[in-house]
Amino acid sequence: MRRAQLITTYGVGSLIAIGSESFMVAGLDLWPELGPYDQVIHEHRLQQELNVRCFRLPPASDNDKYGDVPVIRFPEVQSCPGCNRLAKARFFGSTRGPAKCKECDRELVPSRFVVCCAAGHIDDFPYFRWLHKGGTPAGGNRGHDLKLKATGRSASLGDIEISCSCGVRPVTMEGSLRKGALKGISSCTGRRPWLGNVPEEHCEELPRAMQRGASGVWFSDVRSALSIPPWSEGVQKLVERNWKSLRKAPDLRERLEELELTNHPSYSVTEIIQAVEHRRQAEAGTSDSSKPALKLEEYRALTRTTEEKPGKQDFVCVPWRDEQVEAELRIDQVMRVKRLREVRVLQGFSRLAAPSAENPSRRASLYTAENPPDWLPAIEVIGEGVFLRLDTARLAGWESRADVRARVAPIDAAYRQRFARFGLAPDREITPRLVLIHTLAHSIINEWSLDSGYPTAALRERLYVSDEMAGVLIYTATSDSAGSLGGIVAQVESGNLGTSIRTAIERISWCSADPLCMESDASGTDSLNRAACHSCVLLPETSCEEFNNLLDRALLTGTPDQPDLSGIRSSA
């Protein structure tokens, strides 16, 4: 696995198929201690928000002394393709090496099915209770040898048969994956195998059976932040390297002399002292580290010029004037972000449904409550991007129109209903501004993936939408060799920005699923979209920070009945 995949795809609690075996990534308690060769990542705004000392790149060492990311064997239930026996691996006489049946000398096959609940618990599929209709005979499972046999006639669940030596009538797996199929048969066991031998939690959630390779078994809950001034400046990196000595020094000038930093070729003593004081204030907790505050800081940094300076820095943002774009579209500022650094941190995960703000208690923990680490796994990506800010004055007039508000009202109602299911108030109002900017970002990413050489999954959006903000950053999500046609910034510097945005809008004005797509009153997860499907504006989920929700291309292109509904064209 690549290190980045241990944050986004195969993190703690997820299942990984390797060869003919299946494993689960263990919790942070079981990871090796931070060693001298481990790469530590710092992003002070995220550290303050998540209350950790630092972040850590997932270990990847070939040296047994320093270790690698630990895994456990899961599912525990295995079947033998020779004798068809179905049991936990230890009952086959399997050792620590590849699981084999002692009698048949055949490699065991991990169970295809697991059960998960919305609280993050996971366990083996209850084959015994499924076969015996939830009953538990005297003596438990002793004297009941289960067998699993696949007829091979088709790939349907009806061709997978479970039988028992007690003589009960065999049953198939038909219907086992339906929602509510385990009601009256099995309850949630509260198991958290990724944390090791921890006690099972009491859980009243109804478990649901899933194939172990299904996407719903594990969703990453990732927090990210851009490194912006002053944290992106090279002087902060200098302070970071000497922070232990500078952190509590009573006389900074004297300590800088001891460290031989008073004659640094790139930074003056005053600049270093200011950087130390700024970091001291940040660690004292005097600044707001909430998610809206972090986004507002980034928005302000993206709307002002940050020229490249001597010394290594992580943020270079310079303006680009395009009169054609300003005249024809509601975009009043274009910024070329020639260099940016994003830190992505895995703070938890969920099962069955993607993580959301309406119920943070359903986020499964990466570690036991008794042993919280002072770090979290993270990666950093160095890339480039383009920031577009919409004209808020003209945008305000558009979003105040009754027909525009009526178009977005069903999405806002569905969003409120999603929170109401958990007895919570919604964390925000879904406004026409948000849906418009979000859909615009998707259309541009789809277009630029054709023009820049980056695949769609290698581009990401970062939305800045509130009463104070109306912008979007489109940037590279991977630091690999993609971008062979010039990259993202080149889409602006070529002078074809206006043309590419117009083409992007025209491309989604017609969808192969029309007229059903355009005339849809509700689509997507929990009816959080309107005119949006995989044939027009949906993206790979790694590219979208809203999990492909809150989209409606009608706000960009208009509809056949309301062609002037567009909120991006100045003529609207």
Side-chain angles (χ1 to χ4, degrees), residues 2 31 198 201 242 341 374 386 524 528 558:
R2 297 193 303 272
W31 285 31
V198 297
E201 291 184 323
N242 299 277
R341 170 181 180 261
D374 60 355
V386 173
L528 292 175

Side-chain angles (χ1 to χ4, degrees), residues 37-340:
Y37 297 102
D38 284 311
Q39 184 175 342
V40 175
I41 300 173
H42 290 282
E43 172 44 56
H44 298 284
R45 299 186 305 142
L46 269 184
Q47 289 170 210
Q48 185 176 352
E49 180 190 357
L50 300 176
N51 194 28
V52 293
R53 178 179 61 86
C54 65
F55 303 117
R56 174 189 187 180
L57 196 68
S61 174
D62 294 331
N63 192 324
D64 293 337
K65 180 179 179 181
Y66 301 113
D68 208 327
V69 175
V71 296
I72 61 171
R73 193 186 300 280
F74 193 87
E76 295 177 0
V77 172
Q78 312 264 321
S79 62
C80 173
C83 60
N84 296 327
R85 188 182 177 192
L86 182 68
K88 291 188 176 181
R90 65 177 182 269
F91 294 116
F92 288 92
S94 176
T95 60
R96 184 178 177 85
K100 286 188 175 183
C101 177
K102 191 174 183 180
E103 296 180 2
C104 304
D105 196 30
R106 298 278 298 273
E107 284 194 9
L108 301 180
V109 178
S111 168
R112 281 177 53 187
F113 308 100
V114 296
V115 289
C116 310
C117 83
H121 302 125
I122 188 170
D123 204 349
D124 288 286
F125 183 85
Y127 291 101
F128 182 87
R129 298 181 65 86
W130 176 256
L131 175 60
H132 294 85
K133 307 301 181 185
T136 305
N141 294 7
R142 287 179 297 177
H144 294 266
D145 294 326
L146 300 183
K147 289 192 174 183
L148 180 148
K149 183 178 180 181
T151 63
R153 291 190 298 266
S154 71
S156 71
L157 297 180
D159 282 337
I160 301 176
E161 184 181 272
I162 314 296
S163 60
C164 181
S165 60
C166 71
V168 68
R169 184 179 179 181
V171 300
T172 69
M173 294 294 292
E174 185 72 32
S176 60
L177 302 188
R178 290 201 303 262
K179 188 175 182 180
L182 298 179
K183 188 174 183 180
I185 293 178
S186 179
S187 57
C188 181
T189 61
R191 282 198 66 198
R192 297 171 293 168
W194 66 93
L195 297 180
N197 297 321
V198 297
E200 297 174 351
E201 291 184 323
H202 174 72
C203 182
E204 297 183 356
E205 294 281 348
L206 179 66
R208 182 172 181 178
M210 305 188 77
Q211 298 202 51
R212 59 181 167 88
S215 60
V217 171
W218 191 85
F219 291 94
S220 63
D221 190 357
V222 176
R223 285 286 290 113
S224 67
L226 301 180
S227 294
I228 59 172
W231 305 113
S232 62
E233 296 172 352
V235 66
Q236 282 292 343
K237 301 182 185 299
L238 177 65
V239 170
E240 178 65 48
R241 291 194 295 270
N242 299 277
W243 183 238
K244 288 185 178 180
S245 299
L246 297 172
R247 185 175 187 178
K248 296 183 179 180
D251 190 328
L252 283 176
R253 288 185 179 272
E254 181 179 335
R255 183 57 54 87
L256 290 176
E257 290 179 359
E258 295 175 359
L259 297 172
E260 299 181 354
L261 295 178
T262 52
N263 295 318
H264 195 277
S266 301
Y267 313 109
S268 66
V269 173
T270 302
E271 288 176 319
I272 298 175
I273 291 177
Q274 288 177 348
V276 172
E277 293 294 346
H278 192 98
R279 179 162 177 176
R280 285 178 174 178
Q281 293 174 6
E283 289 202 349
T286 56
S287 58
D288 186 358
S289 62
S290 64
K291 184 176 180 179
L294 296 184
K295 278 288 189 79
L296 183 58
E297 286 181 5
E298 292 177 7
Y299 181 76
R300 289 170 176 168
L302 288 165
T303 54
R304 61 174 178 259
T305 301
T306 302
E307 297 283 357
E308 191 163 5
K309 301 176 183 177
K312 185 178 180 181
Q313 63 187 101
D314 293 325
F315 188 79
V316 178
C317 183
V318 292
W320 178 268
R321 188 67 185 272
D322 194 318
E323 296 180 356
Q324 182 184 15
V325 171
E326 295 178 6
E328 298 183 10
L329 304 170
R330 283 193 172 95
I331 297 174
D332 67 352
Q333 186 178 32
V334 178
M335 302 293 287
R336 295 168 294 162
V337 188
K338 292 188 171 183
R339 184 178 177 87
L340 62 83

Side-chain angles (χ1 to χ4, degrees), residues 19-34:
S20 61
E21 299 185 278
S22 176
F23 301 95
M24 176 179 286
V25 180
L28 301 185
D29 308 63
L30 304 177
W31 285 31
E33 296 290 332
L34 274 169

